[in-house]
Amino acid sequence: MRSLTKPEWLRVRLPSGDTWNTVGGILEKYRLHTVCDEAHCPNKGECWGLGTATFMLMGDVCTRGCRFCAVSTGREGRPLRHDEGDGIARAAEELKLRYLVLTSVDRDDLPDRGAGHFAACIRAIKERLPAIKVETLTPDYTEGEFAPIAEAGLQVAAHNVETVRSLQGVRDSRASFDKSLATLRAAKALGVPRTKSSLLLGLGETKDEVLAAMDELRNADVDILVLGQYLQPSLKQIPVAEYITPEQFGDYGRAGRERGFSSVVSAPLARTSYHALEAWDGTLP
Ligand code: SF4
């Protein structure tokens, strides 16, 4: 397929400034990975410039191979670091974060798929920073797997359906729309106050399919919706089928709010953790 020309509204802010360098230095000091780097997030210039980043647990090798994702894949992930939670807590303290987003690679090679490590990291973070608010963006954990994470104390449990039902084949074959809905329902059943899910648009979906996905997410009691443009990270991933205009994102945002989501982040460069604090506390512009 011929690649489309990237429209001007997708130009991103280049990384620069003291805060950017401070964030990079702190992450290096504690040997931490971020999804900002590993997924080639287009908002890195903005987020790091504002002194925030999204930590990625359990190394930089994912055991799944979604066709849109830039994170490295392998049959086995990296050995777990038992000081990872403490390192994140120290980094968050130095960055003066009030709200922290933790994500991870998929770890199908571990007996609990990494859920226990997620929970241990949250506990270590809260031990050092008891007032911090935590959001997780996890793999498709079952209710049993998610239970220790919910018990560790969260504000928001995010898990992404990634795209509409008809295009779920772009995800790893072990993932599905229904499994993702089950994870989101499980988090609510375990008492997490809010859940959140994202779709990447521009993969070939129709407007009706996006609206139907919104309806299914609301029926699963999801509170926060994020819609952003898919950007092909490198030639190894699937090409962009369509660039969705900012006006279309605006229309989707209104459709989401009409459906009762408490927050909707719908913009070309929106990503799950983009303005996560504001999406949680309802102060989005
Ligand atoms: S949107 Fe999230 S992943 Fe992207 S740079 Fe910002 S904090 Fe990192």
Side-chain angles (χ1 to χ4, degrees), residues 34-37 39-48 52-55 101 103 269-276:
T34 64
V35 70
C36 324
D37 270 330
H40 302 184
C41 182
N43 300 311
K44 189 174 157 185
E46 179 182 341
C47 296
W48 286 32
T52 187
T54 293
F55 300 96
V101 187
T103 188
L269 296 175
R271 296 295 181 264
T272 314
S273 51
Y274 187 60
H275 289 293

Side-chain angles (χ1 to χ4, degrees), residues 9-21:
W9 64 75
L10 289 170
R11 288 214 190 102
V12 295
R13 195 169 123 184
L14 289 175
S16 64
D18 291 346
T19 314
W20 162 276
N21 291 327

Side-chain angles (χ1 to χ4, degrees), residues 187-209:
K188 268 288 170 79
L190 289 161
V192 178
R194 295 225 170 123
T195 53
K196 172 178 187 177
S197 196
S198 303
L199 281 92
L200 287 168
L201 304 186
L203 288 164
E205 69 289 332
T206 66
K207 185 177 170 199
D208 283 348
E209 287 178 314

